[in-house]
Each structure stands twice: as structure tokens, then as C-alpha cells.
Amino acid sequence: ASAGLRWNRSTILPLGVRFEPYAIGRIDAYAVTETDGAGVETGSRNFTRALGAVGTDISWPFARMDNWGQTIIAPRVHLVSATGVDDGERPPNEDSQIVDIDSVSLFSRNRAGGYDLWENGQRADVGMLLELDTVSEWLPDAEVFAGRSYRLDNEVPFGAGTGLDNENSDWVAEFGIDLAGFSIDSRNRFDSESGRLNRSDVR
């Protein structure tokens, strides 16, 4: 069982800076029964845990209008600090086994997909978006994004293969082009240390 509260407020500051502070609070109650391969109960434990996080999401989009269309450049920074989790408050991870980062999930407040895994500690997520919106179907619309995440402590809650298993995450690099009704999109992750391509999805 789980219950939570969320608060956020988006404000446009002078010079067009978008500033959105937020706070999250959650209480989980678990009843865990352990069994062996034959289905015989080998142990059980019940526990509750209180979780919380505060952070802010800041972006500063720049836009320029021309006869052929619009250009947008938008740097973005997300800062968050979340409470820790004791060893006795970690249930079997059933609902957050698949974690991957892209231009959207990179800035998520808790990048675990479910309730079992909680992303604790402090981090900074940074990224840059470049977007071209043209007025003619014979001119290409394009979008390019690059970003990564930095852990500000020694906590690394995610495992290998997620792109988040080091203090500095993999680089996220994405692009898309749309021209005359045809489009190509590519989502990529590059290793934080070696720079090798760890994942690529092309459509």
C-alpha cells in the first residue's frame, strides 16, 4: 500500500526563465513473504517507510522568428535531493527492473518506474534542446537534444545497463527530422567514460 502528496509551482521569472520548484512525500507499507522453489514459505517481513524529495526544474528557452520559421534553443537544469532508504526498507524489486534514460526520463523526479525502487541522494540533470520549426512542408523540421545526469553524492541506486550505474550517467543524444511527410528519429546513449555507443533506437 502506498500514499503520497505532491506539490509544484511553475513560475516565469524575468528574462523568460522558467522556474518550477516541487516537493514529494510518500509512505509505503509492505508485507513480504519469501518462498523457496517448491513454494514453501522461508520467511516474511512487514515494514513501512517514509520517502521524500525536494527539487527544482529550471529552463531558459530562447526563440527567434524568421521568414522561414522559428528557432528554439532551450538549456535545462534539474536539481533534486531525496531521502535515503535503509537496508531493511528495501523490498524485492518487482516493478522497477527496467530503467532506461532518454530526453524525457532524464529529468524525471524519480526515475524508477514503480514503487519498489526509490532514487535517493542528490543529483543534477542537464540538457540542451535545439528545435527548428519551418513554415513550409518542403523545409525540414528538426529537433536535437543532448544531456546527462551527475550524481552529487556516492549513491548509485541503479544497476548495470541502465546508463545510470555510474556517478555520471551515459550521454543521451537524440535527433529527429521531418520533411515532406517523412520522418526519422534516433535515440542514443553513449558511455560516460569511453564514449562508446551503448544503445541506439532508430525509427
Side-chain angles (χ1 to χ4, degrees):
S2 183
L5 294 173
R6 297 187 179 192
W7 171 88
N8 67 283
R9 180 174 182 178
S10 182
T11 304
I12 305 300
L13 301 177
L15 302 179
V17 176
R18 179 182 172 274
F19 179 73
E20 185 177 359
Y22 65 87
I24 302 171
R26 200 177 86 200
I27 296 177
D28 299 332
Y30 276 90
V32 180
T33 300
E34 300 173 351
T35 60
D36 60 17
V40 177
E41 183 176 332
T42 59
S44 63
R45 58 192 177 105
N46 301 330
F47 64 90
T48 60
R49 61 182 185 180
L51 308 171
V54 294
T56 185
D57 198 332
I58 305 168
S59 60
W60 195 3
F62 298 84
R64 173 174 174 167
M65 298 295 297
D66 293 290
N67 292 332
W68 54 266
Q70 177 177 247
T71 303
I72 299 174
I73 300 176
R76 183 177 177 184
V77 177
H78 174 225
L79 303 171
V80 60
S81 178
T83 59
V85 180
D86 294 335
D87 290 339
E89 298 176 345
R90 300 180 189 273
N93 183 11
E94 299 288 348
D95 62 9
S96 304
Q97 295 186 19
I98 299 177
V99 177
D100 196 11
I101 52 172
D102 57 19
S103 59
V104 177
S105 63
L106 179 69
F107 299 99
S108 296
R109 296 167 185 181
N110 178 28
R111 290 178 293 203
Y115 291 90
D116 295 341
L117 186 63
W118 172 258
E119 186 174 10
N120 55 301
Q122 295 82 44
R123 74 176 198 269
D125 311 317
V126 298
M128 176 77 76
L129 174 68
L130 171 62
E131 186 175 340
L132 304 177
D133 294 321
T134 59
V135 295
S136 172
E137 66 175 329
W138 301 109
L139 292 175
D141 293 337
E143 186 175 297
V144 179
F145 173 85
R148 73 186 310 190
S149 181
Y150 299 88
R151 299 296 308 187
L152 304 180
D153 52 28
N154 294 321
E155 299 289 339
V156 181
F158 298 107
T162 62
L164 296 166
D165 50 325
N166 294 315
E167 289 189 13
N168 299 332
S169 77
D170 283 0
W171 281 99
V172 176
E174 302 181 6
F175 72 88
I177 297 175
D178 191 337
L179 176 62
F182 294 92
S183 64
I184 181 171
D185 299 283
S186 178
R187 301 190 309 163
N188 309 279
R189 280 201 291 107
F190 294 90
D191 189 85
S192 61
E193 297 179 357
S194 67
R196 73 176 184 273
L197 181 64
N198 281 340
R199 176 168 181 164
S200 182
D201 302 316
V202 180
R203 182 183 66 181

